[in-house]
Amino acid sequence: MTDTPENIGPADTDFRSGFVCFVGRPNTGKSTLTNALVGSKVAITSSRPQTTRSTIRGIVNRPNCQLVLVDTPGLHRPRTLLGQRLNDLVRDTYSEVDIICLTIPADEKIGPGDKYILDQVRHMAPRTPLLGVVTKIDKVGRDKVAEQLLAVSKFLGENSDVIPVSAASGEQVEDLVQLLASKMQPGPAFYPDGEVTDTDDDTMMAELIREAALEGVRDELPHSLAVVIEEVIEREQTEAQVKADKPGMLDVHALLYVERPSQKAIIIGKGGSRLKSVGTEARTEIEKLLGRKVYLSLHVKVAKDWQRDPKQLGRLGF
């Protein structure tokens, strides 16, 4: 890829580095697998489809390699302008990576959606090597895993490797790292050792808030929810914080945008109970991310049909 920091780190000929893109239908385990490989939460996860909204980079550091994982939105047939722009994000990534991994769950049959994605990948990046990753193998027995491996191998063709993995249990995760490393060219690390993502804090905070807000809601809401960090304010350190060499509290003000008043009511909940729960869960994750105490203020606004409005999409960062 061309838009990376200046090469840093090991230049030994035994050291390998490169970029990997996970593609697949929505909810095939791409974000969960990214987090498992990195060993830290860099991409939000949800049981709802179309959770990922941006290309999140996770950095896998091992003594013999550095892999930069690009977690993309699930490629799908778009119904809105937002859907089209999410697809464009995926397509722009195809030709910029060294390997594309097509994720297909062990507990789901290969279907038209998988064929659509495979056709798109081969059309947009015909020279990029393709690796099949059978995910969620902890959900089925060994016979079913073997059956799915054969099906995916036949689906991709004899020139593509296929590997089973479970991000939930960790089974085969390290094998996948080493398989990907073996397919990379010798080269230096792109990021300093210890970094796990190049995504900025505001984007990560917005994603964590959206993740918390998505849990337990109706199917249509995930597509209609956007989160924008409005303001981040550093509080002065207290005397106790100065003595303990700890940072002051951070005030984070965020806006949650939905498309209809009925959706606003869902997010807020009776008497504001649900929004309070979202704030508590998101604040806990943000404090883990930043390593400091956070005061989180959430407000919900209606932006009618924002998914179809170019101006509103631009204001919301799409």
Side-chain angles (χ1 to χ4, degrees):
M1 296 179 75
T2 57
D3 59 337
T4 59
E6 185 177 351
N7 290 352
I8 306 168
D12 193 296
T13 54
D14 291 333
F15 191 88
R16 295 173 181 267
S17 60
F19 290 79
V20 181
C21 176
F22 289 117
V23 299
R25 289 180 286 105
N27 207 26
T28 56
K30 299 183 297 298
S31 297
T32 305
L33 183 56
T34 294
N35 292 337
L37 290 166
V38 173
S40 182
K41 186 169 186 172
V42 297
I44 70 168
T45 60
S46 171
S47 58
R48 302 297 178 184
Q50 287 306 108
T51 297
T52 304
R53 284 274 178 80
S54 58
T55 49
I56 303 293
R57 287 181 180 172
I59 303 164
V60 179
N61 293 292
R62 296 291 188 274
N64 67 322
C65 67
Q66 184 180 85
L67 305 174
V68 183
L69 310 180
V70 186
D71 181 44
T72 62
L75 190 63
H76 63 294
R77 290 184 173 85
R79 297 177 181 175
T80 64
L81 181 57
L82 172 64
Q84 182 59 57
R85 290 189 178 179
L86 294 180
N87 272 2
D88 290 343
L89 277 175
V90 181
R91 291 193 180 96
D92 288 345
T93 304
Y94 286 170
S95 59
E96 298 180 346
V97 298
D98 299 291
I99 295 174
I100 295 174
C101 293
L102 176 59
T103 57
I104 298 178
D107 60 344
E108 298 177 22
K109 290 186 177 181
I110 298 169
D114 300 300
K115 186 177 186 307
Y116 170 77
I117 291 167
L118 180 60
D119 290 344
Q120 291 291 315
V121 168
R122 287 190 165 151
H123 173 70
M124 300 297 293
R127 294 185 178 86
T128 305
L130 189 62
L131 173 69
V133 182
V134 175
T135 59
K136 306 183 182 182
I137 61 172
D138 55 296
K139 292 191 172 185
V140 298
R142 292 186 178 276
D143 290 346
K144 183 63 178 177
V145 171
E147 181 182 322
Q148 188 74 323
L149 287 171
L150 288 172
V152 173
S153 181
K154 183 178 179 181
F155 179 58
L156 298 183
E158 59 183 18
N159 292 328
S160 297
D161 289 330
V162 181
I163 184 171
V165 67
S166 168
S169 69
E171 187 177 358
Q172 294 270 106
V173 167
E174 191 58 31
D175 291 333
L176 176 57
V177 170
Q178 296 307 322
L179 177 60
L180 290 169
S182 72
K183 295 179 178 298
M184 298 298 176
Q185 295 296 318
F190 292 94
Y191 296 91
D193 189 31
E195 283 197 21
V196 296
T197 184
D198 67 354
T199 305
D200 64 86
D201 287 343
D202 279 12
T203 299
M204 288 298 298
M205 287 191 292
E207 288 287 273
L208 290 170
I209 294 166
R210 193 161 60 87
E211 178 183 47
L214 286 177
E215 289 309 309
V217 298
R218 297 177 194 168
D219 290 340
E220 75 273 11
L221 190 55
H223 307 277
S224 303
L225 179 64
V227 178
V228 175
I229 302 298
E230 190 78 7
E231 192 175 27
V232 179
I233 303 171
E234 291 264 4
R235 289 191 191 179
E236 285 189 24
Q237 290 174 290
T238 64
E239 189 174 329
Q241 288 169 336
V242 172
K243 287 183 179 179
D245 195 26
K246 291 183 178 180
M249 183 173 281
L250 201 65
D251 291 339
V252 178
H253 299 268
L255 293 174
L256 287 72
Y257 287 94
V258 292
E259 293 188 302
R260 296 189 296 278
S262 60
Q263 295 169 338
K264 180 177 180 179
I266 293 171
I267 291 291
I268 294 175
K270 188 176 181 180
S273 60
R274 191 168 190 288
L275 187 61
K276 183 179 179 180
S277 176
V278 168
T280 300
E281 184 177 338
R283 177 176 53 78
T284 300
E285 292 298 323
I286 291 172
E287 288 180 342
K288 289 179 185 176
L289 170 72
L290 302 179
R292 63 192 301 183
K293 291 293 183 182
V294 169
Y295 169 77
L296 180 60
S297 174
L298 302 179
H299 294 277
V300 186
K301 287 191 173 184
V302 176
K304 187 177 179 181
D305 294 330
W306 67 263
Q307 292 185 83
R308 294 171 172 80
D309 184 337
K311 290 183 179 180
Q312 293 197 91
L313 279 172
R315 284 198 293 269
L316 295 178
F318 298 104

Short mmCIF file of all heavy atoms in Angstrom, two decimals, residues 234-292:
data_model
loop_
_atom_site.label_atom_id
_atom_site.label_comp_id
_atom_site.label_asym_id
_atom_site.label_seq_id
_atom_site.Cartn_x
_atom_site.Cartn_y
_atom_site.Cartn_z
N GLU A 234 -9.98 18.44 27.94
CA GLU A 234 -9.09 17.99 29.01
C GLU A 234 -9.39 18.77 30.29
O GLU A 234 -9.37 20.00 30.30
CB GLU A 234 -7.63 18.24 28.62
CG GLU A 234 -7.13 17.38 27.48
CD GLU A 234 -6.38 16.16 28.00
OE1 GLU A 234 -6.35 15.96 29.23
OE2 GLU A 234 -5.85 15.42 27.16
N ARG A 235 -9.70 18.06 31.36
CA ARG A 235 -9.84 18.72 32.65
C ARG A 235 -8.47 18.89 33.30
O ARG A 235 -7.55 18.11 33.05
CB ARG A 235 -10.73 17.90 33.59
CG ARG A 235 -12.20 17.88 33.22
CD ARG A 235 -13.00 17.28 34.36
NE ARG A 235 -14.37 16.99 33.97
CZ ARG A 235 -15.27 16.44 34.77
NH1 ARG A 235 -14.92 16.12 36.03
NH2 ARG A 235 -16.51 16.19 34.34
N GLU A 236 -8.36 19.90 34.14
CA GLU A 236 -7.11 20.09 34.86
C GLU A 236 -6.92 18.94 35.85
O GLU A 236 -7.88 18.41 36.41
CB GLU A 236 -7.13 21.42 35.63
CG GLU A 236 -6.95 22.63 34.73
CD GLU A 236 -6.75 23.90 35.56
OE1 GLU A 236 -6.31 23.78 36.73
OE2 GLU A 236 -7.05 24.98 35.04
N GLN A 237 -5.68 18.57 36.06
CA GLN A 237 -5.37 17.52 37.03
C GLN A 237 -5.67 18.01 38.45
O GLN A 237 -5.43 19.17 38.78
CB GLN A 237 -3.89 17.13 36.95
CG GLN A 237 -3.49 16.37 35.71
CD GLN A 237 -2.00 16.17 35.67
OE1 GLN A 237 -1.25 17.11 35.48
NE2 GLN A 237 -1.57 14.92 35.85
N THR A 238 -6.19 17.11 39.26
CA THR A 238 -6.35 17.40 40.68
C THR A 238 -4.99 17.27 41.34
O THR A 238 -4.03 16.72 40.77
CB THR A 238 -7.34 16.44 41.33
OG1 THR A 238 -6.81 15.10 41.26
CG2 THR A 238 -8.70 16.48 40.63
N GLU A 239 -4.91 17.76 42.56
CA GLU A 239 -3.64 17.66 43.29
C GLU A 239 -3.23 16.21 43.47
O GLU A 239 -2.04 15.85 43.33
CB GLU A 239 -3.79 18.34 44.66
CG GLU A 239 -2.47 18.47 45.41
CD GLU A 239 -2.63 19.26 46.70
OE1 GLU A 239 -3.48 20.17 46.75
OE2 GLU A 239 -1.89 18.95 47.66
N ALA A 240 -4.24 15.34 43.74
CA ALA A 240 -3.95 13.91 43.92
C ALA A 240 -3.44 13.29 42.61
O ALA A 240 -2.53 12.45 42.63
CB ALA A 240 -5.20 13.18 44.39
N GLN A 241 -4.02 13.71 41.48
CA GLN A 241 -3.59 13.17 40.18
C GLN A 241 -2.18 13.62 39.85
O GLN A 241 -1.39 12.86 39.27
CB GLN A 241 -4.57 13.61 39.09
CG GLN A 241 -5.91 12.90 39.16
CD GLN A 241 -6.95 13.53 38.26
OE1 GLN A 241 -6.88 14.71 37.91
NE2 GLN A 241 -7.95 12.73 37.87
N VAL A 242 -1.85 14.86 40.20
CA VAL A 242 -0.50 15.37 39.95
C VAL A 242 0.52 14.56 40.75
O VAL A 242 1.56 14.14 40.23
CB VAL A 242 -0.39 16.87 40.31
CG1 VAL A 242 1.07 17.33 40.25
CG2 VAL A 242 -1.25 17.70 39.38
N LYS A 243 0.20 14.32 42.04
CA LYS A 243 1.12 13.56 42.89
C LYS A 243 1.29 12.13 42.39
O LYS A 243 2.38 11.57 42.47
CB LYS A 243 0.59 13.55 44.33
CG LYS A 243 0.75 14.88 45.05
CD LYS A 243 0.26 14.77 46.49
CE LYS A 243 0.45 16.10 47.23
NZ LYS A 243 -0.04 16.03 48.64
N ALA A 244 0.19 11.55 41.87
CA ALA A 244 0.24 10.17 41.39
C ALA A 244 0.68 10.09 39.94
O ALA A 244 0.76 8.99 39.37
CB ALA A 244 -1.13 9.51 41.56
N ASP A 245 0.97 11.24 39.35
CA ASP A 245 1.37 11.31 37.93
C ASP A 245 0.33 10.67 37.03
O ASP A 245 0.65 9.89 36.12
CB ASP A 245 2.74 10.64 37.73
CG ASP A 245 3.35 11.01 36.37
OD1 ASP A 245 3.01 12.08 35.83
OD2 ASP A 245 4.14 10.20 35.84
N LYS A 246 -0.95 10.98 37.30
CA LYS A 246 -2.06 10.48 36.49
C LYS A 246 -2.70 11.63 35.73
O LYS A 246 -2.77 12.75 36.23
CB LYS A 246 -3.11 9.79 37.37
CG LYS A 246 -2.64 8.49 37.99
CD LYS A 246 -3.77 7.84 38.77
CE LYS A 246 -3.33 6.50 39.36
NZ LYS A 246 -4.42 5.85 40.13
N PRO A 247 -3.18 11.37 34.50
CA PRO A 247 -3.82 12.44 33.73
C PRO A 247 -5.16 12.84 34.33
O PRO A 247 -5.79 12.07 35.06
CB PRO A 247 -4.01 11.81 32.35
CG PRO A 247 -4.09 10.34 32.61
CD PRO A 247 -3.17 10.09 33.78
N GLY A 248 -5.61 14.06 34.02
CA GLY A 248 -6.91 14.51 34.47
C GLY A 248 -8.02 13.80 33.71
O GLY A 248 -7.78 13.10 32.73
N MET A 249 -9.25 14.00 34.19
CA MET A 249 -10.39 13.39 33.51
C MET A 249 -10.60 14.03 32.14
O MET A 249 -10.28 15.20 31.92
CB MET A 249 -11.65 13.55 34.36
CG MET A 249 -12.88 12.88 33.78
SD MET A 249 -14.31 12.92 34.90
CE MET A 249 -13.90 11.58 36.01
N LEU A 250 -11.13 13.25 31.22
CA LEU A 250 -11.42 13.72 29.87
C LEU A 250 -12.93 13.82 29.69
O LEU A 250 -13.66 12.86 29.96
CB LEU A 250 -10.83 12.74 28.85
CG LEU A 250 -10.57 13.25 27.43
CD1 LEU A 250 -9.48 14.32 27.45
CD2 LEU A 250 -10.14 12.09 26.54
N ASP A 251 -13.40 14.98 29.28
CA ASP A 251 -14.82 15.15 28.96
C ASP A 251 -15.04 14.88 27.47
O ASP A 251 -14.46 15.57 26.62
CB ASP A 251 -15.29 16.58 29.28
CG ASP A 251 -15.33 16.85 30.77
OD1 ASP A 251 -15.39 15.88 31.54
OD2 ASP A 251 -15.30 18.03 31.17
N VAL A 252 -15.86 13.89 27.16
CA VAL A 252 -16.15 13.53 25.77
C VAL A 252 -17.63 13.77 25.48
O VAL A 252 -18.50 13.20 26.16
CB VAL A 252 -15.80 12.05 25.49
CG1 VAL A 252 -16.14 11.68 24.04
CG2 VAL A 252 -14.33 11.79 25.77
N HIS A 253 -17.91 14.61 24.51
CA HIS A 253 -19.29 14.92 24.13
C HIS A 253 -19.55 14.34 22.73
O HIS A 253 -18.83 14.66 21.78
CB HIS A 253 -19.52 16.43 24.12
CG HIS A 253 -19.31 17.07 25.47
ND1 HIS A 253 -20.33 17.25 26.37
CD2 HIS A 253 -18.17 17.52 26.07
CE1 HIS A 253 -19.84 17.81 27.47
NE2 HIS A 253 -18.52 17.98 27.31
N ALA A 254 -20.55 13.47 22.64
CA ALA A 254 -20.83 12.78 21.38
C ALA A 254 -22.29 12.93 20.99
O ALA A 254 -23.18 13.01 21.85
CB ALA A 254 -20.47 11.30 21.50
N LEU A 255 -22.54 12.94 19.68
CA LEU A 255 -23.89 13.00 19.13
C LEU A 255 -24.18 11.70 18.41
O LEU A 255 -23.37 11.22 17.61
CB LEU A 255 -24.04 14.17 18.16
CG LEU A 255 -23.96 15.58 18.75
CD1 LEU A 255 -23.99 16.62 17.64
CD2 LEU A 255 -25.10 15.82 19.73
N LEU A 256 -25.34 11.11 18.70
CA LEU A 256 -25.81 9.91 18.00
C LEU A 256 -26.90 10.35 17.04
O LEU A 256 -27.91 10.93 17.45
CB LEU A 256 -26.36 8.88 18.99
CG LEU A 256 -25.36 8.12 19.85
CD1 LEU A 256 -24.76 9.01 20.94
CD2 LEU A 256 -26.01 6.90 20.50
N TYR A 257 -26.69 10.09 15.76
CA TYR A 257 -27.66 10.50 14.73
C TYR A 257 -28.47 9.29 14.27
O TYR A 257 -27.92 8.22 13.98
CB TYR A 257 -26.94 11.11 13.53
CG TYR A 257 -26.39 12.49 13.77
CD1 TYR A 257 -25.08 12.68 14.19
CD2 TYR A 257 -27.19 13.62 13.59
CE1 TYR A 257 -24.56 13.94 14.41
CE2 TYR A 257 -26.68 14.89 13.82
CZ TYR A 257 -25.37 15.05 14.23
OH TYR A 257 -24.86 16.30 14.45
N VAL A 258 -29.78 9.48 14.18
CA VAL A 258 -30.68 8.49 13.60
C VAL A 258 -31.53 9.18 12.54
O VAL A 258 -31.45 10.40 12.37
CB VAL A 258 -31.59 7.84 14.67
CG1 VAL A 258 -30.76 6.98 15.62
CG2 VAL A 258 -32.35 8.91 15.45
N GLU A 259 -32.34 8.40 11.82
CA GLU A 259 -33.08 8.97 10.69
C GLU A 259 -34.52 9.34 11.02
O GLU A 259 -35.12 10.15 10.31
CB GLU A 259 -33.07 7.99 9.52
CG GLU A 259 -31.69 7.80 8.91
CD GLU A 259 -31.72 6.98 7.64
OE1 GLU A 259 -32.20 5.84 7.69
OE2 GLU A 259 -31.27 7.50 6.60
N ARG A 260 -35.08 8.76 12.09
CA ARG A 260 -36.50 9.01 12.39
C ARG A 260 -36.71 9.20 13.90
O ARG A 260 -35.96 8.62 14.70
CB ARG A 260 -37.36 7.85 11.90
CG ARG A 260 -37.33 7.67 10.38
CD ARG A 260 -38.36 6.64 9.93
NE ARG A 260 -38.09 5.31 10.43
CZ ARG A 260 -37.23 4.46 9.87
NH1 ARG A 260 -36.56 4.82 8.79
NH2 ARG A 260 -37.06 3.25 10.37
N PRO A 261 -37.74 9.96 14.28
CA PRO A 261 -38.04 10.14 15.71
C PRO A 261 -38.27 8.82 16.44
O PRO A 261 -37.91 8.69 17.61
CB PRO A 261 -39.31 11.01 15.69
CG PRO A 261 -39.22 11.78 14.41
CD PRO A 261 -38.60 10.83 13.44
N SER A 262 -38.87 7.84 15.75
CA SER A 262 -39.12 6.54 16.39
C SER A 262 -37.81 5.85 16.76
O SER A 262 -37.72 5.15 17.77
CB SER A 262 -39.95 5.64 15.47
OG SER A 262 -39.26 5.41 14.24
N GLN A 263 -36.79 6.05 15.94
CA GLN A 263 -35.48 5.46 16.23
C GLN A 263 -34.81 6.18 17.40
O GLN A 263 -34.13 5.56 18.21
CB GLN A 263 -34.59 5.53 14.99
CG GLN A 263 -35.10 4.67 13.84
CD GLN A 263 -34.36 4.94 12.54
OE1 GLN A 263 -33.77 6.00 12.36
NE2 GLN A 263 -34.40 3.98 11.63
N LYS A 264 -35.04 7.48 17.48
CA LYS A 264 -34.51 8.25 18.61
C LYS A 264 -35.09 7.72 19.92
O LYS A 264 -34.36 7.56 20.91
CB LYS A 264 -34.86 9.73 18.44
CG LYS A 264 -34.35 10.63 19.56
CD LYS A 264 -34.66 12.09 19.29
CE LYS A 264 -34.15 12.98 20.43
NZ LYS A 264 -34.41 14.41 20.18
N ALA A 265 -36.38 7.41 19.90
CA ALA A 265 -37.04 6.88 21.10
C ALA A 265 -36.45 5.53 21.50
O ALA A 265 -36.31 5.23 22.69
CB ALA A 265 -38.54 6.75 20.85
N ILE A 266 -36.09 4.70 20.50
CA ILE A 266 -35.49 3.40 20.79
C ILE A 266 -34.14 3.57 21.48
O ILE A 266 -33.84 2.90 22.47
CB ILE A 266 -35.32 2.59 19.48
CG1 ILE A 266 -36.68 2.20 18.91
CG2 ILE A 266 -34.48 1.33 19.74
CD1 ILE A 266 -36.60 1.60 17.52
N ILE A 267 -33.31 4.47 20.95
CA ILE A 267 -31.98 4.69 21.50
C ILE A 267 -32.06 5.23 22.93
O ILE A 267 -31.32 4.80 23.82
CB ILE A 267 -31.17 5.66 20.62
CG1 ILE A 267 -30.83 5.01 19.27
CG2 ILE A 267 -29.88 6.10 21.33
CD1 ILE A 267 -29.84 3.88 19.36
N ILE A 268 -32.96 6.18 23.16
CA ILE A 268 -33.06 6.80 24.47
C ILE A 268 -33.70 5.86 25.50
O ILE A 268 -33.23 5.76 26.63
CB ILE A 268 -33.86 8.12 24.38
CG1 ILE A 268 -33.07 9.14 23.54
CG2 ILE A 268 -34.17 8.68 25.77
CD1 ILE A 268 -33.80 10.43 23.28
N GLY A 269 -34.74 5.15 25.09
CA GLY A 269 -35.41 4.24 26.00
C GLY A 269 -36.32 4.96 26.98
O GLY A 269 -36.33 6.20 27.06
N LYS A 270 -37.07 4.20 27.73
CA LYS A 270 -38.03 4.77 28.68
C LYS A 270 -37.30 5.54 29.78
O LYS A 270 -36.45 5.01 30.48
CB LYS A 270 -38.88 3.66 29.29
CG LYS A 270 -40.02 4.18 30.16
CD LYS A 270 -40.89 3.05 30.66
CE LYS A 270 -42.05 3.58 31.50
NZ LYS A 270 -42.92 2.48 31.98
N GLY A 271 -37.64 6.82 29.86
CA GLY A 271 -37.02 7.66 30.88
C GLY A 271 -35.52 7.83 30.71
O GLY A 271 -34.82 8.18 31.66
N GLY A 272 -35.02 7.59 29.49
CA GLY A 272 -33.59 7.73 29.23
C GLY A 272 -32.75 6.56 29.71
O GLY A 272 -31.51 6.60 29.68
N SER A 273 -33.43 5.46 30.11
CA SER A 273 -32.71 4.33 30.71
C SER A 273 -31.74 3.66 29.75
O SER A 273 -30.63 3.27 30.13
CB SER A 273 -33.72 3.30 31.24
OG SER A 273 -34.54 2.82 30.18
N ARG A 274 -32.17 3.52 28.48
CA ARG A 274 -31.31 2.81 27.54
C ARG A 274 -30.08 3.64 27.18
O ARG A 274 -28.97 3.12 27.07
CB ARG A 274 -32.08 2.44 26.27
CG ARG A 274 -31.29 1.49 25.43
CD ARG A 274 -32.04 0.83 24.30
NE ARG A 274 -31.17 -0.21 23.76
CZ ARG A 274 -30.09 0.07 23.04
NH1 ARG A 274 -29.79 1.30 22.76
NH2 ARG A 274 -29.33 -0.92 22.61
N LEU A 275 -30.26 4.94 26.97
CA LEU A 275 -29.12 5.81 26.64
C LEU A 275 -28.12 5.82 27.80
O LEU A 275 -26.90 5.84 27.57
CB LEU A 275 -29.61 7.22 26.34
CG LEU A 275 -28.55 8.19 25.81
CD1 LEU A 275 -27.96 7.69 24.50
CD2 LEU A 275 -29.13 9.59 25.64
N LYS A 276 -28.63 5.79 29.03
CA LYS A 276 -27.75 5.75 30.19
C LYS A 276 -26.93 4.46 30.20
O LYS A 276 -25.72 4.47 30.46
CB LYS A 276 -28.57 5.84 31.48
CG LYS A 276 -27.72 5.88 32.74
CD LYS A 276 -28.59 6.01 33.98
CE LYS A 276 -27.74 6.03 35.25
NZ LYS A 276 -28.58 6.14 36.47
N SER A 277 -27.57 3.35 29.85
CA SER A 277 -26.88 2.06 29.79
C SER A 277 -25.82 2.06 28.69
O SER A 277 -24.70 1.56 28.88
CB SER A 277 -27.90 0.95 29.54
OG SER A 277 -27.25 -0.29 29.39
N VAL A 278 -26.18 2.64 27.54
CA VAL A 278 -25.21 2.76 26.43
C VAL A 278 -24.00 3.56 26.87
O VAL A 278 -22.85 3.20 26.60
CB VAL A 278 -25.88 3.42 25.20
CG1 VAL A 278 -24.84 3.81 24.15
CG2 VAL A 278 -26.92 2.48 24.59
N GLY A 279 -24.26 4.67 27.57
CA GLY A 279 -23.17 5.52 28.03
C GLY A 279 -22.25 4.82 29.00
O GLY A 279 -21.02 4.94 28.92
N THR A 280 -22.83 4.04 29.91
CA THR A 280 -22.02 3.31 30.90
C THR A 280 -21.12 2.29 30.23
O THR A 280 -19.92 2.18 30.52
CB THR A 280 -22.94 2.61 31.92
OG1 THR A 280 -23.73 3.59 32.60
CG2 THR A 280 -22.11 1.83 32.93
N GLU A 281 -21.71 1.53 29.29
CA GLU A 281 -20.93 0.49 28.59
C GLU A 281 -19.84 1.11 27.72
O GLU A 281 -18.70 0.65 27.72
CB GLU A 281 -21.87 -0.36 27.73
CG GLU A 281 -21.17 -1.52 27.05
CD GLU A 281 -22.14 -2.40 26.27
OE1 GLU A 281 -23.36 -2.38 26.57
OE2 GLU A 281 -21.68 -3.10 25.35
N ALA A 282 -20.20 2.16 26.98
CA ALA A 282 -19.23 2.80 26.09
C ALA A 282 -18.11 3.47 26.90
O ALA A 282 -16.93 3.39 26.51
CB ALA A 282 -19.93 3.83 25.21
N ARG A 283 -18.46 4.11 28.00
CA ARG A 283 -17.45 4.79 28.82
C ARG A 283 -16.42 3.78 29.34
O ARG A 283 -15.21 4.06 29.34
CB ARG A 283 -18.11 5.51 29.98
CG ARG A 283 -17.12 6.19 30.93
CD ARG A 283 -17.81 6.98 32.02
NE ARG A 283 -18.79 6.18 32.74
CZ ARG A 283 -18.50 5.29 33.68
NH1 ARG A 283 -17.23 5.06 34.00
NH2 ARG A 283 -19.46 4.62 34.30
N THR A 284 -16.88 2.61 29.75
CA THR A 284 -15.95 1.58 30.24
C THR A 284 -14.94 1.19 29.17
O THR A 284 -13.74 1.08 29.44
CB THR A 284 -16.74 0.32 30.69
OG1 THR A 284 -17.65 0.69 31.73
CG2 THR A 284 -15.81 -0.76 31.18
N GLU A 285 -15.43 1.00 27.93
CA GLU A 285 -14.54 0.62 26.83
C GLU A 285 -13.60 1.77 26.44
O GLU A 285 -12.43 1.54 26.10
CB GLU A 285 -15.36 0.18 25.62
CG GLU A 285 -16.11 -1.13 25.82
CD GLU A 285 -15.18 -2.29 26.08
OE1 GLU A 285 -14.09 -2.35 25.47
OE2 GLU A 285 -15.53 -3.16 26.91
N ILE A 286 -14.11 2.99 26.47
CA ILE A 286 -13.28 4.16 26.12
C ILE A 286 -12.17 4.35 27.15
O ILE A 286 -11.03 4.68 26.81
CB ILE A 286 -14.15 5.42 26.00
CG1 ILE A 286 -15.05 5.32 24.76
CG2 ILE A 286 -13.28 6.68 25.90
CD1 ILE A 286 -16.08 6.42 24.64
N GLU A 287 -12.50 4.14 28.43
CA GLU A 287 -11.46 4.25 29.47
C GLU A 287 -10.38 3.20 29.30
O GLU A 287 -9.19 3.46 29.52
CB GLU A 287 -12.11 4.15 30.85
CG GLU A 287 -12.92 5.40 31.22
CD GLU A 287 -13.55 5.33 32.59
OE1 GLU A 287 -13.67 4.21 33.13
OE2 GLU A 287 -13.94 6.40 33.11
N LYS A 288 -10.78 1.99 28.86
CA LYS A 288 -9.77 0.96 28.56
C LYS A 288 -8.90 1.40 27.39
O LYS A 288 -7.68 1.19 27.39
CB LYS A 288 -10.47 -0.36 28.20
CG LYS A 288 -11.14 -1.07 29.36
CD LYS A 288 -11.82 -2.34 28.86
CE LYS A 288 -12.61 -3.04 29.96
NZ LYS A 288 -13.33 -4.23 29.43
N LEU A 289 -9.53 1.99 26.39
CA LEU A 289 -8.80 2.44 25.20
C LEU A 289 -7.78 3.53 25.55
O LEU A 289 -6.62 3.46 25.11
CB LEU A 289 -9.79 2.98 24.16
CG LEU A 289 -9.20 3.71 22.95
CD1 LEU A 289 -8.51 2.73 22.02
CD2 LEU A 289 -10.30 4.47 22.20
N LEU A 290 -8.21 4.51 26.33
CA LEU A 290 -7.38 5.68 26.59
C LEU A 290 -6.51 5.55 27.83
O LEU A 290 -5.56 6.31 28.02
CB LEU A 290 -8.26 6.93 26.72
CG LEU A 290 -9.14 7.27 25.51
CD1 LEU A 290 -9.96 8.51 25.80
CD2 LEU A 290 -8.30 7.46 24.26
N GLY A 291 -6.87 4.61 28.72
CA GLY A 291 -6.11 4.44 29.94
C GLY A 291 -6.29 5.58 30.92
O GLY A 291 -5.35 5.94 31.66
N ARG A 292 -7.48 6.16 30.95
CA ARG A 292 -7.75 7.28 31.86
C ARG A 292 -9.24 7.40 32.11
O ARG A 292 -10.05 6.82 31.39
CB ARG A 292 -7.22 8.58 31.28
CG ARG A 292 -7.88 8.97 29.97
CD ARG A 292 -7.18 10.09 29.26
NE ARG A 292 -7.10 11.30 30.05
CZ ARG A 292 -6.58 12.45 29.62
NH1 ARG A 292 -6.06 12.51 28.41
NH2 ARG A 292 -6.55 13.52 30.38
#
